[in-house]
Amino acid sequence: MTFDVVGLGCACLDFIGVVPNNPKIDSQVWMSESTQQGGGKVATALVTLAKLGTSTTFLGRIGDDLVGRIIKEEFEGFGVNTRHMVIESGANSLVSMVLVDASSGQRTIMSDRPSTSEFLVRDIPVSLIESARFLHLDATSRQAAIAAAKVARQAGVPVVLDADILVCDDEIESLIYFTDVLIASQGFADIFTGIRDPLKAVETLSGFGPAVTMVTMGAMGSVGICKGHTLRIPGFEVAVVDTTGAGDVYHGAFIYGLLHNWDFEKTAEFATAVAAISCTELGGRKGIPRLDQAKSFLQERKSRFF
């Protein structure tokens, strides 16, 4: 079986609560709303793609605990294939606790350390990547990610990298060299390049070789470079409930545009819109729109592309 997008990365379970303020030590606050949803950078991007109508499969490790079962069942509920996911006996899956500020939608994330081992190079289903249209990676399981990117490069499969980490090393630089579409958070761009100006940072990042380079800036939108063309896409104003997972959703929607050979600006605008819509619901996945909903959103805002 072949898939449009193969994703290799982290999958977790988020417990999310809306609070009036971050609690102080030895205090109590009441949540006005709470939810439990799957999370993870590549994982939520694949869910986004599946909801938009794309075939996807996830590569990664989870435990055989209750959390792992919920992660797997939610993937399957959205239509993400889990056949190649590694389920590790006796291991605990990753859990995150997310506090969402009621007034701004900004969040504080607290994650534990799962007992699952790293997804290994030997775990990579080479033929699955070779037959895909895109490979999507994050910075977890870096040796496997680099190996998978090399397989994709050899097979002519474009690699999309979600660069949203605050620790940079030689492995990250190696991974970027095998990346065709680099979508980085502003935080990563600042640290990796040492440049605080997003426009200058994206120029530096593009020098490492990606055909498309984007830096996302949350509500401020994004900046990017493709074939020497520099682009700035403003954010959309929405009634923000929770920004959890918005960057991951952006990646999934951007890949959707690439799959359909949309031009650079149309793809970036679409990704910005889908990410904005996702912020109008609590959790990283509940607010992900269907394709018709995303198009209606853009039509209402007089997009010249939809």
Side-chain angles (χ1 to χ4, degrees):
M1 186 174 182
T2 61
F3 297 91
D4 291 326
V5 183
V6 173
L8 191 165
C10 168
C12 66
L13 185 64
D14 292 338
F15 293 93
I16 304 168
V18 180
V19 294
N21 54 265
N22 279 335
K24 297 178 181 179
I25 294 175
D26 201 24
S27 68
Q28 180 180 2
V29 295
W30 292 99
M31 295 184 294
S32 59
E33 189 178 355
S34 64
T35 186
Q36 168 189 294
Q37 295 178 39
K41 293 177 175 56
V42 163
T44 297
L46 294 181
V47 168
T48 302
L49 282 157
K51 196 159 184 183
L52 291 170
T54 301
S55 63
T56 63
T57 190
F58 177 78
L59 306 179
R61 281 182 181 267
I62 59 171
D64 63 351
D65 56 346
L66 175 60
V67 169
R69 290 196 293 274
I70 294 171
I71 290 170
K72 184 174 183 291
E73 288 171 3
E74 186 173 322
F75 265 144
E76 293 167 351
F78 279 109
V80 177
N81 181 278
T82 60
R83 180 181 176 185
H84 302 279
M85 176 188 288
V86 178
I87 301 174
E88 188 171 338
S89 177
N92 295 322
S93 305
L94 176 61
V95 174
S96 293
M97 305 292 183
V98 184
L99 297 181
V100 179
D101 180 79
S103 61
S104 67
Q106 297 297 305
R107 75 266 194 239
T108 300
I109 302 174
M110 300 161 287
S111 299
D112 68 357
R113 294 188 180 276
S115 63
T116 51
S117 53
E118 268 201 9
F119 193 84
L120 302 174
V121 173
R122 67 167 182 259
D123 295 325
I124 297 171
V126 172
S127 61
L128 192 73
I129 294 173
E130 291 175 335
S131 64
R133 294 179 63 191
F134 280 88
L135 172 66
H136 186 32
L137 303 170
D138 60 30
T140 58
S141 301
R142 294 181 193 175
Q143 288 298 315
I146 292 169
K150 289 179 178 178
V151 169
R153 177 63 59 86
Q154 188 74 23
V157 176
V159 176
V160 181
L161 175 63
D162 182 339
D164 183 20
I165 57 169
L166 301 182
V167 178
C168 300
D169 52 29
D170 291 342
E171 286 183 331
I172 295 300
E173 189 168 324
S174 296
L175 190 53
I176 291 174
Y177 276 119
F178 287 100
T179 295
D180 298 285
V181 180
L182 172 63
I183 306 177
S185 67
Q186 187 172 5
F188 173 85
D190 286 352
I191 293 172
F192 187 82
T193 67
I195 301 170
R196 296 192 62 82
D197 182 338
L199 280 170
K200 293 180 179 178
V202 79
E203 290 173 0
T204 298
L205 287 169
S206 70
F208 284 86
V212 178
T213 307
M214 301 294 300
V215 171
T216 58
M217 304 178 294
M220 299 299 293
S222 59
V223 295
I225 294 178
C226 176
K227 298 178 181 178
H229 174 57
T230 301
L231 177 70
R232 182 165 196 142
I233 297 291
F236 289 99
E237 289 189 13
V238 294
V240 175
V241 173
D242 178 16
T243 59
T244 300
D248 313 329
V249 172
Y250 181 99
H251 284 76
F254 200 98
I255 294 171
Y256 183 87
L258 296 173
L259 283 165
H260 289 79
N261 297 312
W262 292 348
D263 71 27
F264 183 32
E265 187 174 355
K266 180 178 180 178
T267 298
E269 184 187 73
F270 178 76
T272 303
V274 174
I277 297 168
S278 75
C279 294
T280 62
E281 297 280 358
L282 184 62
R285 297 181 180 176
K286 184 180 178 182
I288 299 171
R290 301 186 309 271
L291 180 59
D292 61 319
Q293 292 172 319
K295 287 183 175 180
S296 293
F297 176 92
L298 284 159
Q299 288 165 0
E300 289 169 2
R301 284 154 180 79
K302 310 299 182 186
S303 167
R304 64 189 180 90
F305 298 111
F306 296 90

